[in-house]
Amino acid sequence: MDSKVLVIGGGIAGPVTAVALQQAGLQPVLYEAYGRGSDGIGAFLTLAVNGIDALGAVGLREPVERLGMETPGMTMVSGRGKHLGTLPMQARTVSRSDLYQVLRDEAVRRGVVIEYGKRLVDAETRDSGVRAVFSDGTSAEGDVLVGADGLRSRARSIIDPGAPPARHIGLLNTGGYARGLRPAGDPGVAHFVFGRRCFFGYFIHPDDDVWWFANPPSRREPTREQLVAIASEQWRARLVDLFADDQGPMLDIIAATDEIFPGWNTYDFPSVPRWHDDRMVIIGDAVHATSPSSGQGASLAIEDAVLLAMCLRDHTDSPAAFRTFEALRRDRVERVVKHGKRSGDGKADGPVKARIRDLVLPALMRRMTAKGSLDWMFDYRIDWDASVSETGSATTVRAGGRP
Ligand SMILES: Cc1cc2nc3c(=O)[nH]c(=O)nc-3n(C[C@H](O)[C@H](O)[C@H](O)COP(=O)(O)OP(=O)(O)OC[C@H]3O[C@@H](n4cnc5c(N)ncnc54)[C@H](O)[C@@H]3O)c2cc1C
């Protein structure tokens, strides 16, 4: 196809899609709802090896590898101080705002036009293309529209007004950056603590702060307004109480943090029935948000972006491109979402289940490492030079284990 593509959303999937489309010889224009700044988009995330590799397919690996810290492994302990397991990893932990900024800067450097303050409110499909309408009253026309507009995607509900809402997972998120202390542990490694009443994760930056997060369980789904209303000091008091009976550096890390992040809920989508119509398609969190416990949301969004661009490159009509894209992606992303949900559930175990977990997890982790049972997730490689066929044949993908 030689088309103008309206890409909605300037988070992770959007800019990578725009860069990939341009590399494929198409003409993307990116529309982002907010202004140029990237405040309020959360704390940090870990990019897995599969996501980093997909960035490499479109020349974005190098700028991203300058950010944050290398994460060579993960170690887990219980709140009683029992070592539960260690997994080697090839990953990078980066601040979300830095990542957004670098991806957008790279897109602009390569000549992609980004329009800010453009919130998609509607879109209509015509024989010859698609017209997007924005909240400021303006509109844009293109051949196809890619909805990379995140968890609360408007594009998703335009494609399918009956699309299911996101599922609330009973975990909250907060965290921060602690200054002036060096807890035990290796730099960059993901240190996870299954506390008696709350899960905690921290990463020691080699020459900077300690980056941390906590997942207080919450069966109830607080509104965004309720979460924003919880002040930093209220979070501090709540977390100090939650970790009071646990071993580990949590209380020191919390005390060394000036400002604790406002909280946010956790959601996922087990399965979104309609991914596309003839002219519009959704990618990234818009179509398969996964629990942060999978550590894969950003990486899947990047994989989507690269593969969608290849599908649009290799098909003369958009329905065939979108069918191929879905065929290549659906099984994999739904499997990751399932895996993320299971991992997240383990963070909110009651005392009885927690005791069982502490007994079985060490052996399970050893088996997982020996058998490589997560290879299907991490060993996923995209070959930019391969062509993608309408049957969704995996000629583009070298996957260790099932795709
Ligand atoms: C607490 C937390 C921790 C996480 N940890 C990890 C992790 O460790 N590893 C990992 O891989 N992933 C993690 N993730 C997930 C990861 O952040 C997401 O999967 C990823 O950001 C998805 O990228 P995206 O581009 O699809 O959506 P987003 O990054 O959400 O981007 C969507 C963009 O669309 C814009 N937008 C929204 N609506 C409109 C509209 N109507 N019109 C125009 N623009 C619009 C938004 O402003 C935004 O810029 C975490 C997420 C959370 C919340």
Side-chain angles (χ1 to χ4, degrees), residues 8-14 31-34 44-47 96 100 104 118-120 148-151 154 173 264 283-286 292 295-299 301:
I8 309 296
I12 295 173
Y31 299 92
E32 165 56 41
Y34 289 100
F44 57 88
L45 55 81
T46 298
L47 276 175
R96 275 165 66 104
Y100 279 41
R104 288 181 191 178
K118 296 287 177 192
R119 177 173 294 278
L120 179 79
D149 49 349
L151 183 77
R154 176 68 188 125
N173 300 269
W264 59 103
I283 64 170
D285 272 14
Q296 282 286 334
S299 297

Side-chain angles (χ1 to χ4, degrees), residues 275-299:
W275 284 31
H276 61 86
D277 63 14
D278 285 353
R279 295 269 174 189
M280 297 189 266
V281 64
I282 42 178
I283 64 170
D285 272 14
V287 69
H288 51 63
T290 168
S291 162
S293 309
S294 71
Q296 282 286 334
S299 297

Side-chain angles (χ1 to χ4, degrees), residues 347-393:
K347 294 178 172 179
D349 282 340
V352 177
K353 275 194 175 171
R355 287 227 170 230
I356 299 170
R357 178 200 60 221
D358 293 355
L359 283 174
V360 301
L361 199 56
L364 192 71
M365 293 280 291
R366 277 196 300 275
R367 258 211 322 272
M368 274 167 60
T369 317
K371 271 177 51 186
S373 56
L374 291 180
D375 287 358
W376 65 271
M377 197 155 73
F378 297 122
D379 286 358
Y380 187 87
R381 301 289 178 268
I382 299 172
D383 178 0
W384 175 263
D385 296 323
S387 68
V388 282
S389 70
E390 189 171 341
T391 55
S393 83

Side-chain angles (χ1 to χ4, degrees), residues 324-342:
T324 303
F325 173 70
E326 182 175 347
L328 281 169
R329 299 298 290 160
R330 187 183 273 279
D331 286 355
R332 171 169 172 78
V333 301
E334 291 185 355
R335 192 174 177 199
V336 172
V337 172
K338 219 182 264 175
H339 166 78
K341 175 71 168 56
R342 265 202 312 272

Side-chain angles (χ1 to χ4, degrees), residues 150-152 156 164-173 215 218-227 263-271 284-294 297 336-338 340-341 344:
L151 183 77
R152 296 177 199 286
R156 182 178 61 237
R167 172 172 65 180
H168 176 249
I169 296 176
L171 293 173
L172 303 179
N173 300 269
N215 292 140
S218 171
R219 278 178 204 276
R220 197 175 55 84
E221 180 183 348
T223 63
R224 266 197 282 191
E225 293 70 28
Q226 286 169 333
L227 283 169
W264 59 103
N265 281 304
T266 313
Y267 298 95
D268 71 6
F269 278 106
S271 184
D285 272 14
V287 69
H288 51 63
T290 168
S291 162
S293 309
S294 71
V336 172
V337 172
K338 219 182 264 175
K341 175 71 168 56

